[in-house]
Amino acid sequence: KAGVTQTPRYLIKTRGQQVTLSCSPISGHRSVSWYQQTPGQGLQFLFEYFSETQRNKGNFPGRFSGRQFSNSRSEMNVSTLELGDSALYLCASSRRATPLDTDTQYFGPGTRLTVL
Amino acid sequence: SQQGEEDPQALSIQEGENATMNCSYKTSINNLQWYRQNSGRGLVHLILIRSNEREKHSGRLRVTLDTSKKSSSLLITASRAADTASYFCALANAGGTSYGKLTFGQGTILTVHP
C-alpha cells in the first residue's frame, strides 16, 4: 500500500506570496491532519479534515486554511506569507478519528517551505 | 499544558546499549503514541498504547504507560547506529474537540555511536 505523499517537497517563496501544499493520504484513510514543525515551536497541529469537512483547528491565524476533496486528498494554503511561516509542513492520514479515540497517524515526508 | 514533556532532551550511547526515553503529561489521554523522525523528515509511527494498557512491545521497542503518574517510557534495547533519530511522544487527548489531533512533546535526540 502506498504511503502518504506530499507535494512539492521543497518550496521557496517570498514574503507576501501565497502557497498551496498538497497531501494524498493512504488509500482508504479518510482523516487528514496537518502539522507545522519549526525548531522553536516544535510540532504544532494545524487542522484536521474528514469527509471534506474541517472538524478541528489549531491556534493558527486565518491565513492558514485547508480543504479536502471527495477522494480524501487534501490541500493547505497559506496566504500573505511571513518569514515565520518557514517550516516543515507535515500531513498525516488515519483511518478514523473520533473524540473518543485518535487512531495511528501515518505521516508523509513533509514539504519544506522557506520564506525569504 | 497539554504537551508531553520529554526527558532527556538528548541521549548519547554506544551501539548495543539500551536507550530509555520518558514522557510526562498533565491531561487525560485516550492513547499515547511514539514516533521517530530522521533528520527533519517525516515521522514514522512506532507504537500506540491505549490508556487502559500498561505495556506494549514491538521488536526491540518496549513502551510502558502509567496513567496514575501520567508518564510513559520508551525503551530501545540493543541499540544500533540506525536508531539515531529524534523520538517524540504524542498525546491523543480525551474528549472534547480532539478530532485527528496529536499533541507532541519536544522530542529526545538519540545518538547511537558505532
Side-chain angles (χ1 to χ4, degrees):
Chain A
K1 200 180 249 188
V4 178
T5 59
Q6 291 187 247
T7 57
R9 293 292 309 278
Y10 301 91
L11 207 50
I12 299 176
K13 293 286 187 178
T14 56
R15 282 185 303 172
Q17 288 186 310
Q18 75 167 13
V19 66
T20 299
L21 312 180
S22 181
C23 171
S24 292
I26 291 172
S27 178
H29 286 194
R30 298 169 65 188
S31 172
V32 174
S33 299
W34 287 88
Y35 296 86
Q36 180 197 65
Q37 185 177 28
T38 60
Q41 298 299 315
L43 280 150
Q44 292 188 289
F45 173 78
L46 281 157
F47 29 63
E48 187 260 3
Y49 286 87
F50 185 90
S51 293
E52 303 178 64
T53 300
Q54 184 185 91
R55 299 192 301 180
N56 202 357
K57 191 178 191 312
N59 295 323
F60 279 83
R63 300 184 298 107
F64 291 82
S65 63
R67 61 177 175 169
Q68 187 180 36
F69 302 94
S70 58
N71 61 358
S72 294
R73 188 177 69 86
S74 178
E75 290 182 346
M76 68 163 283
N77 184 76
V78 188
S79 62
T80 319
L81 284 166
E82 300 177 359
L83 296 178
D85 297 333
S86 293
L88 181 66
Y89 290 88
L90 295 159
C91 83
S93 74
S94 63
R95 289 175 300 170
R96 59 181 173 81
T98 72
L100 298 180
D101 198 13
T102 296
D103 207 350
T104 297
Q105 293 190 356
Y106 297 89
F107 283 78
T111 294
R112 174 77 61 185
L113 172 65
T114 302
V115 182
L116 302 176
Chain B
S1 168
Q2 294 182 340
Q3 188 174 5
E5 296 184 4
E6 298 187 59
D7 170 62
Q9 291 186 341
L11 182 60
S12 181
I13 59 174
Q14 297 294 130
E15 258 191 339
E17 295 181 339
N18 295 342
T20 300
M21 289 157 266
N22 303 294
C23 174
S24 60
Y25 57 94
K26 296 181 179 179
T27 61
S28 296
I29 61 171
N30 282 321
N31 67 64
L32 186 148
Q33 304 180 32
W34 286 90
Y35 288 84
R36 183 187 75 226
Q37 185 178 40
N38 292 85
S39 303
R41 301 177 68 179
L43 279 74
V44 175
H45 180 262
L46 299 175
I47 287 183
L48 180 154
I49 186 166
R50 300 194 182 282
S51 59
N52 61 353
E53 297 174 314
R54 292 296 168 258
E55 187 171 313
K56 287 189 83 169
H57 297 256
S58 177
R60 294 183 295 113
L61 306 180
R62 171 178 170 254
V63 166
T64 60
L65 178 64
D66 187 335
T67 52
S68 65
K69 295 182 179 178
K70 290 186 165 55
S71 68
S72 175
S73 67
L74 169 66
L75 168 67
I76 304 174
T77 59
S79 62
R80 306 165 181 168
D83 295 328
T84 295
S86 294
Y87 291 81
F88 295 89
C89 67
L91 313 176
N93 293 105
T97 54
S98 301
Y99 289 113
K101 176 181 178 180
L102 293 177
T103 304
F104 285 83
Q106 289 298 314
T108 294
I109 300 171
L110 173 65
T111 304
V112 182
H113 300 280

